[in-house]
Amino acid sequence: MSKMPTISEMPHTSLMPVQQALEIISQSFSRLDPEDIPLTQALGRTTARDHFAAITQPPFNASAMDGYALRAEDVANCPVELQVIGEAPAGKSYDGDVTPGTTVRIFTGGPVPKGADTVIMQENAERLNEGSVRILIGAESGRNIRPAGNDFAKEQKLVEDGTILTSRHIGMMAAANIATVTVTRQPRIALLSTGDELVTIGDVVGPDQIISSNNLLLSTLITENGGTAIDLGIARDNAPSLEEKITLLKATDSVDLFITIGGASVGDHDLVQKILGQYGLKVHFWKIAIRPGKPMIFGEFNQRPMIGLPGNPASAYVCAVNFMLPALHIMLGRNVIGAPRSIAILDHALKDNGSRQDYMRAYYTENSDGEKVVAATPRQDSAKLSTLAHANCLLVRTPNAPSAAKGDRVEILLLQP
Ligand code: AMP
Ligand code: MG
């Protein structure tokens, strides 16, 4: 990694390049402590160590079919009649040996009795009476038997450290009798909106007012990514209201990241830096060469990292995807950090880009070759939630990128489906 200038070396007026902002933010976070929880509660959590099977699966040679357990050599020349000496349903083994000329009626999941080395499915047999069966079609040794350990063996590594647990992992771990899992503590992210114009969802929306939608936009993004959001509500654009919220933040337990929304620019009502500054905010950098989202702040407040997001929903979201998600994933110790990236074919021409890294709301589909084809949303207004909601990716344009033609390849950031 090339040496980056320290904060004090950065000219205060220049915009921080996206990559450098990401490096600085990433260095401010580390993995949180592990905790043990029941497997039943583990969906979506991130493992904090490797996990190993506590038992072998299947624990015994099991039948994969309803049929007859027997010796393959007895059915080399079919049809042949065999003596039925007992039963082995799932959960109950036959207490005896299958000897030449005999067979045990067996069912799917039943333990294959000693002496038998194959299972003939019942469709290939004709039951003559209680004590005998005619095998119509034979099978080689091992057929229709799931050997012990066929799925996994005791002490085999089943799940890597840093894995997000899905229902599929949980099903496997249940079969392996892993009742307790070690996961990373969920990062706690406090959210504070600012603005005189904001009201809470469900409230009466007066003239000149809008709903504070960003609280939910971001708290659900945090939940989707394995964190816990703590909504501190709305601070008005005045010192006493912000101070009240600072008191609330300080009274909140173990906040790993503090996020403010809005008030990050230089308007008369943008008080975040000014008021928080009076209470110890250290600004590491302010303003990133990104569009949308230029006025983002990164600093430290109340001994914890702080991100000051701009208020426009698309700006807040683009900054959150680029900077908050990596922080969250690092705290969780995930194997994959940040939104996944991909390459897509442009469905239309694009003008040359300005000096900021641009994240256009966009939608991709797959063509018949399985390649992604992407189109940017026609209007890139950062206040528009309707285009953001229906986007499934962000189309990335590097600073000063030349114009691009339909068919060119571009990088996209995939958004959660
Ligand atoms: P600001 O960054 O405070 O100048 O806000 C920029 C724009 O985003 C303004 O139009 C605000 O009304 C809007 N905005 C700020 N906070 C929120 C929020 N929590 N939810 C929705 N819109 C917001
Ligand atoms: Mg505002």
Side-chain angles (χ1 to χ4, degrees), residues 193-194 197-198 210-215 261-264 270 310-313:
S193 278
T194 67
E197 75 282 26
L198 303 176
I210 62 165
I211 305 280
S212 176
S213 54
N214 284 341
N215 296 58
I261 306 160
D270 293 329
N312 269 316

Side-chain angles (χ1 to χ4, degrees), residues 264 272-273 281 283 285-287 295-299 306-309:
V272 166
Q273 281 203 60
L281 171 68
V283 175
F285 62 79
W286 177 39
K287 292 189 180 169
M296 194 186 105
I297 304 164
F298 180 62
M306 176 271 187
I307 294 177
L309 295 176

Side-chain angles (χ1 to χ4, degrees), residues 176-369:
N177 206 16
I178 303 173
T180 302
V181 290
T182 307
V183 295
T184 311
R185 173 171 80 69
Q186 288 186 285
R188 288 165 55 81
I189 302 184
L191 294 173
L192 176 64
S193 278
T194 67
D196 284 340
E197 75 282 26
L198 303 176
V199 296
T200 306
I201 179 170
D203 282 358
V204 176
V205 185
D208 314 325
Q209 293 186 316
I210 62 165
I211 305 280
S212 176
S213 54
N214 284 341
N215 296 58
L216 261 181
L217 174 70
L218 295 171
S219 64
T220 50
L221 178 66
I222 290 166
T223 309
E224 277 177 336
N225 281 275
T228 301
I230 304 149
D231 192 349
L232 301 177
I234 302 164
R236 300 304 168 195
D237 292 322
N238 61 63
S241 180
L242 264 167
E243 284 161 355
E244 192 189 308
K245 294 299 187 185
I246 292 170
T247 308
L248 180 59
L249 171 72
K250 291 190 171 174
T252 308
D253 281 342
S254 53
V255 170
D256 300 297
L257 168 61
F258 173 43
I259 291 187
T260 60
I261 306 160
S265 302
V266 285
D268 291 346
H269 304 281
D270 293 329
L271 295 179
V272 166
Q273 281 203 60
K274 190 170 156 217
I275 306 298
L276 261 55
Q278 291 166 11
Y279 289 84
L281 171 68
K282 264 190 253 158
V283 175
H284 294 331
F285 62 79
W286 177 39
K287 292 189 180 169
I288 304 176
I290 193 170
R291 184 175 58 227
K294 180 174 87 169
M296 194 186 105
I297 304 164
F298 180 62
E300 193 184 311
F301 187 71
N302 198 32
Q303 284 116 48
R304 286 286 180 273
M306 176 271 187
I307 294 177
L309 295 176
N312 269 316
S315 313
Y317 191 79
V318 163
C319 288
V321 165
N322 275 288
F323 305 110
M324 182 194 78
L325 288 193
L328 184 47
H329 296 164
I330 289 169
M331 286 192 275
L332 284 166
R334 284 194 175 170
N335 290 331
V336 179
I337 305 293
R341 286 158 196 277
S342 188
I343 298 293
I345 300 165
L346 263 179
D347 201 27
H348 53 76
L350 281 173
K351 286 195 306 195
D352 54 342
N353 187 30
S355 59
R356 290 189 267 154
Q357 179 133 314
D358 197 3
Y359 289 88
M360 307 177 85
R361 272 76 74 209
Y363 196 87
Y364 76 85
T365 51
E366 268 182 19
N367 67 15
S368 53
D369 296 330

Side-chain angles (χ1 to χ4, degrees), residues 63-70 84 86-88 103-108 118-125 127 133 135 144:
S63 179
M65 288 283 173
D66 291 337
Y68 293 87
L70 44 78
V84 180
E87 269 200 7
T103 180
V104 164
R105 175 78 170 119
I106 198 163
F107 298 88
T108 305
T118 191
V119 170
I120 301 296
M121 57 179 185
Q122 63 191 25
E123 290 83 345
N124 292 341
R127 189 69 178 254
V133 63
I135 305 298
N144 298 326

